[in-house]
Amino acid sequence: MGLKRRAFLRQTGLLLAALGLSEASLSLLTHQYQQALAQPTRRKLALLVGINQYPESVCDYVPRGSALSGCLTDVELQQELLIHRFGFRPEDILTLTDEAATRHGIEAAFMNHLVQQAKPEDVVLFHFSGLGSQIQIEGATGHQYSLVPINGMLPTVDDPVIHDLPETTLLLLLQSLPTEQVITVLDTGYTSVGRNLQGNLRIRSRPSMPIGALDEAERAFQEQLLHAHPTAAWKRPRLAEPDAESNPYPGILLQASTPNRIATEAQWNGFSAGLFTYALTQQLWWAAPATTLRISFNQASGIVKQVAGTEQQPVISDQRSQKLLPALTEPGGNADGVIHSIDEEGKVALWLAGLPAIVLENASASLFSIAEPAGSDHATATAEPQRPASQLLQARSREGLTVKARGLSADSVMALQPGQLVYEEVRILPRNIGLTIALDPSLKRIERVDATSAFSAIPRVSSVIAGEQPADFLFGKTQPQILAAALPLANLPNNLIAETAQDVPSSPESPAHPAQNSYGLFYLGRDAILNTLSQEAEAVKTSVHRMTPQLKALLAIKLLRLTQNQGSSRLGVRAALETISPQERLVLQQETMRAPGTAPTSKVATLLLSEGSPILTASSQIQYRLQNYSNRPVHFLLIGLDTKGNAVIFYPPKSEPSATSSIWAAIAPGETRIIPQISAANWLVQTSSGLTETYLIFSRAPFTQTFHALEAEVRSKVDIRPVAALLNPLEVVQAILQDLHQASRATVPSDIPADTYALDVNAWTTLSFVYQVVAS
């Protein structure tokens, strides 16, 4: 069976079987799919706009000088993805950045490059990264939204005109396209919050809403568009209601956030980018041909929430997202990056935006291989291939998103050329990775001085000033809206990620009544981590000392995030988060994208992501469905954070049928396991609102060191609950990394530095499940 058909059967078998298709129907659809691949590729056009350097006459920055810095990176991210993953020709991608991105420049480029060139069935993508705004047009009722061009000056007494690109114009431009295969990506925001910083993130919207007259040239251009396309189904945009009926945009609309929430950009070591754009493009590097855009979007949305909390809520509109991504994806397969160039000394420049940002900035010595062309022995292997050192590249240094690499051995036999896709093979992580805490700029100088001193006394924890350097979490004071959100939780038990129906005693770390202006830890978007708040007024150093256990738990979670590898692992596993009540629904599904063989089908596939973003109501009943379709037994762990920031771990009850020699029995090849297995112990989603992170870690070797770290806790618990608080999360996660390191020793080159974890991506898989809990 050919590679294309095998990949198609493996990746789409889930959805086809769920629809009740016969084997004959499946064969027919496979044949049609292969015919479509053989046909000449439809033309793919893109217009990418990014603006960093807005002058102060365009935006009333608060504080001054806080211009954007990640919008041009967004353009690069999209351009590299479109060329190397989706087969766009470079000449079919037009970019406008900074000074070139005037309102007239954007409109003219849209007309000349997209409207006048596109034909029916062509694919068109428009991307905008920059400031958005609410605008009030004099004489009009209500407000509308706009994209802010580089020359979108604010109205003045001498020039009381709004110079933005109104959303009405954008909508008319999009409806002028002669194709329905349209993707619009808007990494911008519209809410006016009076500032440009939110925690350690930069906000991509004007701080205030301008009021003025619509520019006459813009009004005339709108009339021209209406006259040229009188049949366009125009109506006033309603972005606050992004569903199929209210969304007037053709094709698919992808927004960084809802209009009433912030859209942000984040800073990592060496680069800044739109939080949404990086997460989305990274997930699309990993996407398989049959992956729907909605699945990639939901995975990206989880990444956004890991950083910003619930303050940023990405949105996808239009059901066509189930079909358009497979039509876009090239048959060559997914990847972690691409070779940009090779210099005369043999140094290879790798563009590695296919890796999660947290991995890219920490795994500076990792090993990579060249993706094999379709039909090669490695590409059609039925087991995880092992590459000799002569076929591996090792990262030596990094600048932004580009890594300089060399052949791992002197006898390298690789024939390298720009444009070749690359795979991550061995992830090499330093053992001394620390946690960086940003100090909220609203803190007084003496508070920042005391906090800096206090954090420096905690091993592997450092601090920076928010907005100036990258960070993992934020330290600051509670704000009125945070306090209001916390107070309704006063009488609720400190429940965990999921719990049995039995009561769980309240934890002293979670305050019943957070003190006014209490110090605490926050996600970078300033969502509070509730178990770090205090009900007592206290000094800065006292509060930091009190948070030491929580800081260790957050460092543990950072290390877990560094193990996510569902896109690069070839260990054939799948996991699904399902609700049992109030209704049966498959909330999230994760699986390895490069696993050899054929993935099993699932009878619950028709429920896959039917409700869009992963949001669960409190007290929902949940379970995890684990599937091993590799050719060897796999061991697993389930660990994470609950909505209050408590580290928790899954303990399978000893009475479960699978618990023979160990309470963590391996999953046999071909086996599907439900967690929990005992119906009486079904888990209830906690009643506290907030964000939950759960990590399912599969390994081809036992978690020996991890079990030793857990033994004391197991012995101390008379009744081991299915999910229980983890008292020593950092020690447990370090043991997990050591176990994965040990599991990789047989396949990792021997000359890896001793002060690192060297993890063969085929030895384990970490799948992450990030979902929001809301009141029922």
Side-chain angles (χ1 to χ4, degrees):
M1 183 182 293
L3 173 65
K4 293 177 182 177
R5 178 168 178 173
R6 181 184 293 112
F8 177 68
L9 288 174
R10 178 169 68 85
Q11 297 293 337
T12 61
L14 171 69
L15 296 179
L16 293 173
L19 295 173
L21 295 177
S22 65
E23 183 66 28
S25 298
L26 179 58
S27 298
L28 176 61
L29 285 173
T30 304
H31 178 66
Q32 291 173 342
Y33 174 81
Q34 291 174 318
Q35 282 188 322
L37 288 178
Q39 292 174 356
T41 304
R42 70 184 77 185
R43 194 174 186 191
K44 302 169 185 177
L45 300 167
L47 173 59
L48 313 177
V49 181
I51 307 172
N52 280 341
Q53 300 303 317
Y54 285 98
E56 292 189 6
S57 59
V58 170
C59 179
D60 45 347
Y61 286 114
V62 181
R64 289 184 176 274
S66 56
L68 301 178
S69 57
C71 298
L72 271 59
T73 306
D74 290 1
V75 170
E76 289 184 87
L77 289 167
Q78 282 283 15
Q79 188 171 23
E80 296 293 327
L81 175 78
L82 295 178
I83 292 172
H84 299 292
R85 277 293 284 118
F86 293 149
F88 281 62
R89 298 186 303 175
E91 60 268 27
D92 287 336
I93 300 175
L94 178 61
T95 64
L96 296 178
T97 58
D98 283 343
E99 291 80 6
T102 63
R103 187 186 69 197
H104 175 73
I106 297 171
E107 293 171 348
F110 201 109
M111 291 296 296
N112 297 331
H113 185 66
L114 301 182
V115 175
Q116 295 179 12
Q117 292 197 80
K119 296 179 174 57
E121 299 306 316
D122 283 353
V123 174
V124 170
L125 184 141
F126 173 73
H127 178 106
F128 179 86
S129 285
L131 292 174
S133 182
Q134 296 182 35
I135 55 174
Q136 176 67 59
I137 304 298
E138 291 180 348
T141 58
H143 65 269
Q144 62 175 289
Y145 306 117
S146 68
L147 306 181
V148 182
I150 191 71
N151 62 340
M153 286 79 70
L154 292 166
T156 63
V157 174
D158 296 331
D159 183 21
V161 173
I162 291 177
H163 297 278
D164 290 3
L165 195 160
E167 187 188 31
T168 301
T169 303
L170 175 61
L171 180 61
L172 288 170
L173 286 166
L174 289 165
Q175 291 182 337
S176 300
L177 293 166
T179 176
E180 294 183 354
Q181 308 298 316
V182 181
I183 302 175
T184 305
V185 184
L186 302 178
D187 198 338
T188 189
Y190 306 103
T191 184
S192 301
V193 295
R195 61 185 181 279
N196 288 93
L197 289 176
Q198 176 86 352
N200 204 46
L201 304 175
R202 294 193 183 277
I203 300 174
R204 289 186 170 180
S205 58
R206 275 199 183 112
S208 59
M209 179 175 65
I211 301 174
L214 181 64
D215 184 70
E216 286 302 320
E218 186 65 13
R219 190 184 303 277
F221 182 61
Q222 291 180 359
E223 292 296 330
Q224 175 187 339
L225 292 172
L226 280 170
H227 179 74
H229 303 278
T231 59
W234 184 88
K235 58 181 177 180
R236 187 182 184 279
R238 295 162 61 190
L239 286 181
E241 305 171 61
D243 54 64
E245 293 184 1
S246 65
N247 171 33
Y249 281 72
I252 301 167
L253 173 64
L254 294 161
Q255 294 176 260
S257 193
T258 57
N260 60 341
R261 297 271 186 164
I262 60 171
T264 65
E265 63 178 36
Q267 183 180 8
W268 291 275
N269 288 317
F271 67 96
S272 297
L275 188 52
F276 176 64
T277 295
Y278 193 98
L280 179 65
T281 55
Q282 187 269 313
Q283 286 297 314
L284 291 175
W285 272 100
W286 277 359
T291 305
T292 68
L293 188 54
R294 185 172 293 276
I295 291 175
S296 294
F297 168 83
N298 276 322
Q299 292 167 342
S301 180
I303 295 170
V304 169
K305 291 178 181 179
Q306 283 179 331
V307 177
T310 59
E311 290 299 309
Q312 182 167 342
Q313 300 278 0
V315 177
I316 183 172
S317 305
D318 201 304
Q319 295 302 316
R320 196 171 290 108
S321 60
Q322 301 290 345
K323 302 176 182 179
L324 188 50
L325 184 58
L328 276 173
T329 308
E330 292 295 285
N334 58 11
D336 300 303
V338 64
I339 295 179
H340 256 188
S341 63
I342 306 166
D343 66 17
E344 296 179 352
E345 298 178 352
K347 291 183 179 179
V348 182
L350 305 178
W351 173 269
L352 293 178
L355 292 175
I358 189 173
V359 174
L360 177 61
E361 65 177 350
N362 285 283
S364 58
S366 293
L367 305 183
F368 299 87
S369 67
I370 305 304
E372 296 291 340
S376 67
D377 292 339
H378 279 296
T380 58
T382 57
E384 300 94 357
Q386 295 183 7
R387 302 297 181 96
S390 60
Q391 295 182 18
L392 294 176
L393 293 167
Q394 182 168 29
R396 300 300 178 94
S397 63
R398 180 179 65 86
E399 183 176 350
L401 295 164
T402 301
V403 166
K404 290 296 181 69
R406 282 185 178 274
L408 181 62
S409 67
D411 59 340
S412 176
V413 296
M414 292 177 288
L416 304 178
Q417 59 185 6
Q420 288 177 309
L421 300 180
V422 296
Y423 290 159
E424 180 187 29
E425 294 289 344
V426 179
R427 184 172 299 178
I428 299 179
L429 300 171
R431 289 178 179 258
N432 61 348
I433 291 173
L435 192 73
T436 303
I437 304 298
L439 306 181
D440 195 291
S442 66
L443 295 173
K444 297 178 182 178
R445 183 179 180 279
I446 186 60
E447 292 175 309
R448 295 197 299 271
V449 170
D450 287 347
T452 300
S453 173
F455 282 121
S456 66
I458 302 175
R460 299 176 66 176
V461 177
S462 60
S463 61
V464 298
I465 301 300
E468 295 183 1
Q469 297 181 55
D472 301 303
F473 295 92
L474 183 78
F475 174 79
K477 289 182 177 179
T478 55
Q479 297 174 339
Q481 63 269 31
I482 295 173
L483 194 64
L487 287 177
L489 307 177
N491 299 317
L492 296 178
N494 184 33
N495 299 332
L496 303 172
I497 216 173
E499 64 190 27
T500 60
Q502 302 173 358
D503 292 334
V504 177
S506 179
S507 166
E509 287 117 2
S510 297
H513 298 282
Q516 189 78 24
N517 292 326
S518 167
Y519 296 107
L521 295 172
F522 303 80
Y523 289 96
L524 294 183
R526 238 193 176 283
D527 252 10
I529 300 172
L530 295 180
N531 72 351
T532 67
L533 306 182
S534 173
Q535 64 187 67
E536 304 290 342
E538 57 187 353
V540 170
K541 290 188 176 181
T542 303
S543 68
V544 172
H545 178 74
R546 171 181 55 80
M547 297 174 196
T548 299
Q550 287 84 4
L551 289 165
K552 289 184 177 181
L554 294 176
L555 176 55
I557 290 299
K558 177 179 179 178
L559 296 178
L560 285 175
R561 291 175 180 176
L562 281 165
T563 68
Q564 295 178 79
N565 69 333
Q566 67 266 31
S568 55
S569 174
R570 299 182 184 91
L571 188 64
V573 292
R574 173 191 291 156
L577 169 63
E578 305 168 2
T579 56
I580 302 172
S581 68
Q583 62 178 341
E584 292 188 7
R585 181 165 69 96
L586 181 53
V587 181
L588 280 173
Q589 179 166 285
Q590 304 276 7
E591 66 181 309
T592 47
M593 296 296 183
R594 295 180 196 155
T598 302
T601 58
S602 171
K603 65 181 180 180
V604 295
T606 53
L607 306 175
L608 178 60
L609 303 177
S610 57
E611 300 298 322
S613 297
I615 297 177
L616 299 182
T617 56
S619 299
S620 296
Q621 207 169 14
I622 65 172
Q623 66 182 19
Y624 286 88
R625 183 183 302 268
L626 316 183
Q627 294 175 289
N628 174 16
Y629 58 93
S630 73
N631 59 0
R632 66 185 73 194
V634 294
H635 305 261
F636 76 95
L637 287 173
L638 189 154
I639 185 171
L641 280 184
D642 70 3
T643 58
K644 290 188 177 181
N646 299 306
V648 293
I649 193 167
F650 165 66
Y651 292 99
K654 292 184 179 180
S655 58
E656 289 193 357
S658 64
T660 54
S661 60
S662 168
I663 62 173
W664 289 275
I667 305 175
E671 179 186 353
T672 296
R673 184 172 301 177
I674 305 297
I675 303 297
Q677 289 183 301
I678 299 175
S679 59
N682 284 331
W683 300 343
L684 299 177
V685 172
Q686 61 204 96
T687 52
S688 304
S689 298
L691 200 64
T692 289
E693 292 185 47
T694 305
Y695 296 87
L696 268 164
I697 307 172
F698 299 88
S699 174
R700 63 190 183 191
F703 291 96
T704 306
Q705 297 295 323
T706 306
F707 293 160
H708 288 323
L710 291 170
E711 278 180 353
E713 294 201 32
V714 172
R715 286 197 300 267
S716 67
K717 296 177 185 293
V718 178
D719 177 21
I720 302 177
R721 299 181 184 277
V723 175
L726 194 56
L727 303 179
N728 57 341
L730 184 55
E731 290 83 355
V732 170
V733 172
Q734 287 174 322
I736 291 173
L737 287 169
Q738 184 61 32
D739 281 328
L740 299 180
H741 175 80
Q742 290 295 119
S744 305
R745 291 192 68 175
T747 55
V748 168
S750 58
D751 55 346
I752 300 300
D755 58 347
T756 61
Y757 297 107
L759 312 179
D760 180 347
V761 296
N762 299 319
W764 98 99
T765 298
T766 297
L767 306 178
S768 66
F769 293 83
V770 181
Y771 60 89
Q772 185 178 347
V773 178
V774 297
S776 55

